[in-house]
Amino acid sequence: MAKYSRIIAQAGCHIHHAEPAQVYEAWTNPELMKTWMFPSGGDKEAEAEADVTEGGAWSVVNEGQEEAYRAYGKYLEIDPPERIEKTLIRKETGGQDEKITVEINSILNGSQLIVTQDVVFLHHEQLEGKVVEEHLREERLRTEKYWHEMFSLLSKQLTPS
């Protein structure tokens, strides 16, 4: 039988020459979301949708080398241009909601972006505590690395040519 464990992952970055409103727009405008969010490495352009209202749905679908990656959820809190709180549902979590909080702060010469994710780790109930802890640590590190990869794409998207 499957069991779910959770751990908090957090990643942040400084996006130079982008005001908080521009960063917020990249998180909420489907045309911008599909350029940086949840990249798959495939050649096909991603699809994105966003009903940016509390309770509204969002999704990003990327065709990968082997299969499509789909991330979706609902907006829980919207406070433009400083905060977005939303759920994230992925195949890897067995349909369990993860919560993502996006904080966008104005700082000298740009914006500070902090993302906190309540990461779900799906595992067999008979896994021992130390093994689960090690898997949770690895999942947290993998999640934070992935956010930093997305921040790099986001920064390129928002950097003036």
Side-chain angles (χ1 to χ4, degrees):
M1 184 166 182
K3 184 175 179 181
Y4 302 94
S5 295
R6 295 178 178 270
I7 193 166
I8 299 297
Q10 190 171 60
C13 74
H14 180 176
I15 301 179
H16 298 279
H17 307 293
E19 295 298 318
Q22 294 170 283
V23 177
Y24 178 87
E25 173 94 2
W27 276 87
T28 57
N29 178 328
E31 290 302 310
L32 297 175
M33 289 166 55
K34 67 185 181 183
T35 65
W36 69 272
M37 198 177 283
F38 303 106
S40 67
D43 294 332
K44 195 172 177 186
E45 184 176 60
E47 297 174 18
E49 296 180 2
D51 174 8
V52 188
T53 59
E54 291 183 12
W58 71 273
S59 68
V60 176
V61 179
N62 269 305
E63 293 289 336
Q65 308 285 340
E66 298 168 19
E67 65 179 274
Y69 179 82
R70 184 166 193 251
Y72 62 98
K74 300 271 185 207
Y75 290 101
L76 302 173
E77 180 184 331
I78 304 292
D79 185 12
E82 298 163 347
R83 183 178 172 89
I84 302 166
E85 197 169 283
K86 62 185 183 176
T87 61
L88 167 64
I89 301 172
R90 320 176 274 137
K91 179 177 74 171
E92 298 85 356
T93 64
Q96 295 292 307
D97 284 6
E98 296 176 309
K99 186 167 95 173
I100 295 175
T101 303
V102 179
E103 297 172 280
I104 306 164
N105 301 302
S106 180
I107 60 174
L108 183 63
N109 207 19
S111 297
Q112 177 191 46
L113 175 62
I114 300 170
V115 174
T116 306
Q117 182 174 342
D118 173 28
V119 180
V120 171
F121 172 62
L122 177 64
H123 59 87
H124 194 277
E125 67 181 8
Q126 293 178 342
L127 268 180
E128 294 183 17
K130 294 259 188 216
V131 174
V132 171
E133 286 176 26
E134 180 60 24
H135 282 291
L136 283 170
R137 187 184 75 74
E138 290 172 5
E139 189 63 26
R140 178 181 54 80
L141 292 173
R142 186 173 23 258
T143 300
E144 290 170 353
K145 180 179 182 270
Y146 196 52
W147 278 113
H148 283 288
E149 290 171 5
M150 286 191 282
F151 293 163
S152 178
L153 293 171
L154 173 60
S155 186
K156 287 177 187 172
Q157 176 70 31
L158 296 177
T159 300
S161 302

